[in-house]
């Protein structure tokens, strides 16, 4: 672990002690759920230190090329490349809390969404992933608002009643050819519950903090000030799973627009904002909107 101390000499002793702390965090989510965009915006805010009260960058061990590259594209409102299997990157970032002067190292690997999809489709987790999860104190689960919806039980029973009724014409409408099961087409929330079940098994801590990030929040038009309500309505299975497993997953929900808008439609508008950190919007239920994208991490590393 890098022991370089970047704060003033009066804090050296304290910082050295605090440097002992390392917090592994995970970042999970299906393909295109907003993980890399979030990481790019987070790196910008940590580094620029231009958002009041936000966590700040103190030091970094490892290669920062990846973080710098995604950040440069994010600042320029460019479309970020999809994270491919095998090109995932990890860096050890030392964070400083300006309110308390505490320091901690965190590592948050940016994994490809495909590696998470594979856990559902092939029921297999890579050894490296298992180790990260086992060592993690907490993490961030991403869900994009354009989710693949599930049929609700209430709708399913209506459909069943229609099929049963003698005047039903359901059978006439479509062929009765069974549709072959394709795990890729499963509802988003079903796949996410499976990811969390993997984590329950792989992580041996009695409890971990899980920040549920509903990304691209600028696309959300219902319950805009209430991400908890959005999740309960649009992903009820996931919400109920989290409530039923609240001893393992201490959970908090955030609506986050890391990009600030649509990369095509709002490009000029986004580019004209002088400070890129001002594009970011984050909301949690019962709190005001803020630009501080470090809040979920502050919560999962238990500095809040
Ligand atoms: N409107 C809007 N779109 C966003 C936002 N954040 C991400 N997106 C879009 O969501 C898509 C996926 O974003 P990524 O950050 O690449 O997602 P990812 O989870 O890293 O995807 P993989 O690398 O495939 O696992 C892209 O088309 C982004 O432009 C946001 O805040 N607002
Ligand atoms: Mg990515």
């Amino acid at each position: 672990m890098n022991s370089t101390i970047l704060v003033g000499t009066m804090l050296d002793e304290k910082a050295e002690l605090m440097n002992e702390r390392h917090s592994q965090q995970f970042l999970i989510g299906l393909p295109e759920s907003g993980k890399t965009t979030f990481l790019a915006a987070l790196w910008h805010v940590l580094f620029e230190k231009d958002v009041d009260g936000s966590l700040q960058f103190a030091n970094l061990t490892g290669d920062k090329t990846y973080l710098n590259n995604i950040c440069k594209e994010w600042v320029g409102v460019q479309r970020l490349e999809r994270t491919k299997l095998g090109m995932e990157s990890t860096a050890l970032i030392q964070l400083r809390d300006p309110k308390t002067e505490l320091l901690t190292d965190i590592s948050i690997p940016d994994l490809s969404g495909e590696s998470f999809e594979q856990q559902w489709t092939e029921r297999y987790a890579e050894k490296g992933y298992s180790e990260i999860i086992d060592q993690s104190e907490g993490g961030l689960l991403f869900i994009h608002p354009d989710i693949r919806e599930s049929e609700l039980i209430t709708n399913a029973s209506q459909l069943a009643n229609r099929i049963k009724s003698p005047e039903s014409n359901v059978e006439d409408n479509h062929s009765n050819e069974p549709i072959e099961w394709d795990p890729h087409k499963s509802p988003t929330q079903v796949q996410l519950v499976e990811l969390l079940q993997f984590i329950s098994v792989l992580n041996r801590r009695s409890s971990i903090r899980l920040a549920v990030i509903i990304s691209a929040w600028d696309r959300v038009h219902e319950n805009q000030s209430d991400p908890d309500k959005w999740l309960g309505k649009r992903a009820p299975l996931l919400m109920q799973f989290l409530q039923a497993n609240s001893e393992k997953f201490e959970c908090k929900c955030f609506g986050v627009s890391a990009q600030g808008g649509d990369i095509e439609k709002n490009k000029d508008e986004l580019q004209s904002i002088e400070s890129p950190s001002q594009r970011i919007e984050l909301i949690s239920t019962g709190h005001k909107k803020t630009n501080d994208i470090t809040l979920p991490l502050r919560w999962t590393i238990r500095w809040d």
Side-chain angles (χ1 to χ4, degrees), residues 207-223:
S207 176
I208 55 173
R209 282 199 169 177
L210 180 77
V212 178
I213 308 287
I214 304 154
S215 62
W217 192 249
D218 50 279
R219 295 178 61 82
V220 170
H221 302 295
E222 35 167 354
N223 301 311

Side-chain angles (χ1 to χ4, degrees), residues 271-286:
Q271 281 176 332
S272 70
I273 298 172
E274 206 173 313
S275 158
S277 302
Q278 298 299 313
R279 289 184 213 148
I280 301 166
E281 282 193 351
L282 176 143
I283 191 148
S284 59
T285 303

Side-chain angles (χ1 to χ4, degrees), residues 2 13 36 59 89 93 104 120 123 146-148 160 178 202 208 244 260 268 282 287 301:
N2 192 317
E13 219 180 301
T36 305
N59 198 5
S89 139
I93 306 170
T104 190
W120 164 247
R123 314 209 32 77
D146 299 344
I147 56 174
R148 186 188 290 278
L202 297 173
I208 55 173
D268 292 345
L282 176 143
H287 292 89
I301 61 179

Side-chain angles (χ1 to χ4, degrees), residues 57-239:
F57 166 78
N59 198 5
L60 181 134
T61 311
D63 189 0
K64 54 176 181 267
T65 317
Y66 176 72
L67 286 172
N68 285 347
N69 285 348
I70 57 172
C71 191
K72 202 169 143 205
E73 281 165 15
W74 177 83
V75 168
V77 197
Q78 305 299 322
R79 187 167 291 284
L80 299 177
E81 206 184 320
R82 301 255 338 263
T83 318
K84 297 191 189 78
L85 280 171
M87 71 172 237
E88 297 105 339
S89 139
T90 312
L92 193 61
I93 306 170
Q94 190 183 51
L95 296 181
R96 177 176 157 266
D97 183 355
K99 294 177 192 163
T100 57
E101 295 296 347
L102 288 175
L103 293 170
T104 190
D105 288 325
I106 60 150
S107 70
I108 6 175
D110 185 16
L111 301 177
S112 154
E114 263 90 35
S115 63
F116 300 110
E117 206 172 35
Q118 266 180 10
Q119 288 175 38
W120 164 247
T121 56
E122 288 162 41
R123 314 209 32 77
Y124 170 78
E126 298 281 346
K127 188 161 174 272
Y129 175 77
S130 307
E131 283 166 6
I132 291 169
I133 296 300
D134 186 28
Q135 290 154 12
S136 290
E137 279 185 0
L140 279 53
L141 167 72
F142 285 77
I143 175 165
H144 193 284
D146 299 344
I147 56 174
R148 186 188 290 278
E149 301 274 0
S150 338
E151 277 300 336
L152 295 176
I153 291 173
T154 44
N155 297 349
S157 53
Q158 275 168 19
L159 187 65
N161 287 338
R162 278 169 60 206
I163 292 168
K164 272 190 242 149
S165 79
E167 64 276 17
S168 159
N169 60 0
V170 170
E171 286 177 24
D172 305 336
N173 286 344
H174 303 288
S175 84
N176 280 333
E177 283 297 305
I179 301 167
E180 203 166 323
W181 158 248
D182 179 357
H184 292 99
K185 294 192 179 140
S186 307
T188 305
Q189 54 172 341
V190 171
Q191 299 193 41
L192 293 182
V193 166
E194 182 68 356
L195 286 188
L196 292 175
Q197 281 179 329
F198 264 85
I199 290 178
S200 285
V201 174
L202 297 173
N203 182 286
R204 286 168 289 178
R205 286 165 202 262
S206 55
S207 176
I208 55 173
R209 282 199 169 177
L210 180 77
V212 178
I213 308 287
I214 304 154
S215 62
W217 192 249
D218 50 279
R219 295 178 61 82
V220 170
H221 302 295
E222 35 167 354
N223 301 311
Q224 268 183 326
S225 57
D226 198 339
D228 286 347
K229 209 166 176 180
W230 184 94
L231 192 73
K233 205 163 166 214
R234 299 291 303 281
L237 173 80
L238 175 61
M239 185 72 149

Side-chain angles (χ1 to χ4, degrees), residues 259-271:
Q259 208 164 256
D262 188 281
I263 213 140
E264 307 296 343
K265 278 194 253 156
N266 310 113
K267 193 168 196 134
D268 292 345
E269 193 190 320
L270 292 171
Q271 281 176 332

Side-chain angles (χ1 to χ4, degrees), residues 39-50 71 74-75 276-277:
L39 198 59
L42 177 74
W43 181 235
H44 178 84
V45 168
L46 289 174
F47 206 76
E48 288 300 316
K49 306 182 172 102
D50 59 353
C71 191
W74 177 83
V75 168
S277 302

